Amino acid sequence: MTSELRAHMPLTDDTAFLLARANARSLAATHAGLADHGLRVRSYSVLALAVAEARLSQRDIAEYLWLDPSQVVSLVDDLQRRGLVTREPDENDRRAKVVVATEAGRRLHRDAARSVAERERETLETLDAAEQQRLRELLLRLAFPV
Amino acid sequence: MTSELRAHMPLTDDTAFLLARANARSLAATHAGLADHGLRVRSYSVLALAVAEARLSQRDIAEYLWLDPSQVVSLVDDLQRRGLVTREPDENDRRAKVVVATEAGRRLHRDAARSVAERERETLETLDAAEQQRLRELLLRLAFPV
DNA sequence: TATTGTTATACTCTATAACTATA
DNA sequence: TATAGTTATAGAGTATAACAATA
């Protein structure tokens, strides 16, 4: 970056722009962390929710990850084909299918999460621990407004 | 969102996830604000940099917006075709082209920025003014690490 | 009637490599 | 030898509409 640009820095008072650029950096780090595990950001996210004990339906996953329900279908298809998750019938609603991680899915997620955390740590180290915590609190309220 | 999910909230200690979801909300708001102005997020961002007085080259723009230089070519092509920006030769480097907004480009940007700001305000209102400022400071350091 | 998962399709965005002109 | 802009192409991500099964 030129010194002139450093001094001026357009758009840096624009939350949307800062959010987009910070997210781009974070995405690159996550992508790099997942590369060796045969996962992409979206399939990793779905797997992470399947590993969590929340017993989410595909519709829940779509809402949570801000994806279209039709996208979740092919993501779960892929994970299921690889033996990482299963579709279980919801006992209360026969339309819905709960996505649950298999033992292999849990193992892969654990290894992938470790790689991702390592990369993310480098991305976040420009903030100290308290600042990172404060950032997460603010982002949480933005990501999930009450 | 189910109450069970509200209670559990997987991934909410994951900065990358929160960043992605907050960015998705912000993007949707920006997109809605731009819809009536014939602009998309990426073309709007390039136009915003052209309106700024930083006299950025296409390469600068690519780096700043985290885009590939080849993507900037077609974005500038489109804006230029619509008379919103011009490519000016860089006096110091004949390879480089500086992207500058025309008067029409400035007008469109002003109108679009107003629409975007309105939508963004709704997205951000879950935080008070001081919190929004604090968030921008933290994001800036994440987006542009020294 | 509304919702869940599914299929299909078109469009946008992203990643990569090669080429040219200039440095 | 390296860099700025350009062209081309393939792959990933996104948006939308329609349908069957179930609520």
Side-chain angles (χ1 to χ4, degrees), chain B residues 107-134:
Chain B
R107 272 198 306 274
L108 179 60
H109 174 262
R110 195 192 52 226
D111 297 345
R114 193 173 297 140
S115 298
V116 168
E118 211 164 302
R119 303 287 189 141
E120 283 292 339
R121 188 155 30 77
E122 298 167 21
T123 303
L124 293 170
E125 71 185 358
T126 183
L127 304 178
D128 67 34
E131 289 169 333
Q132 290 181 26
Q133 179 57 33
R134 183 80 182 115

Side-chain angles (χ1 to χ4, degrees), chain B residues 41-87:
Chain B
V41 173
R42 288 149 84 249
S43 51
Y44 172 70
S45 305
V46 172
L47 180 58
L49 291 183
V51 167
E53 299 294 339
R55 294 192 64 77
L56 303 181
S57 70
Q58 296 186 191
R59 186 67 52 151
D60 294 331
I61 292 173
E63 186 192 346
Y64 208 70
L65 298 180
W66 205 278
L67 298 172
D68 190 272
S70 66
Q71 298 172 29
V72 178
V73 173
S74 52
L75 289 168
V76 173
D77 279 351
D78 176 57
L79 293 172
Q80 190 172 36
R81 219 176 290 121
R82 295 159 66 184
L84 301 172
V85 304
T86 58
R87 284 174 162 100

Side-chain angles (χ1 to χ4, degrees), chain A residues 50-113:
Chain A
V51 166
E53 298 294 339
R55 293 192 64 78
L56 303 181
S57 70
Q58 296 188 188
R59 187 65 55 153
D60 294 329
I61 291 173
E63 186 192 349
Y64 208 70
L65 298 180
W66 205 277
L67 296 173
D68 190 89
S70 66
Q71 300 172 27
V72 177
V73 174
S74 52
L75 288 168
V76 174
D77 280 350
D78 175 57
L79 293 172
Q80 190 171 36
R81 221 176 288 120
R82 295 159 64 185
L84 301 171
V85 304
T86 57
R87 284 174 162 98
E88 294 185 4
D90 184 323
E91 296 172 0
N92 303 320
D93 185 344
R94 280 190 291 177
R95 294 172 304 178
K97 300 172 184 176
V98 175
V99 180
V100 181
T102 63
E103 188 48 42
R106 290 179 192 283
R107 272 198 305 273
L108 179 59
H109 173 263
R110 195 192 51 227
D111 295 344

Side-chain angles (χ1 to χ4, degrees), chain A residues 25 120-128 132, chain B residues 141-142:
Chain A
R25 276 196 75 218
E120 284 293 339
R121 188 155 30 75
E122 298 167 20
T123 302
L124 294 170
E125 71 184 1
T126 182
L127 303 178
D128 67 34
Q132 290 181 26
Chain B
R141 288 168 52 200
L142 211 56

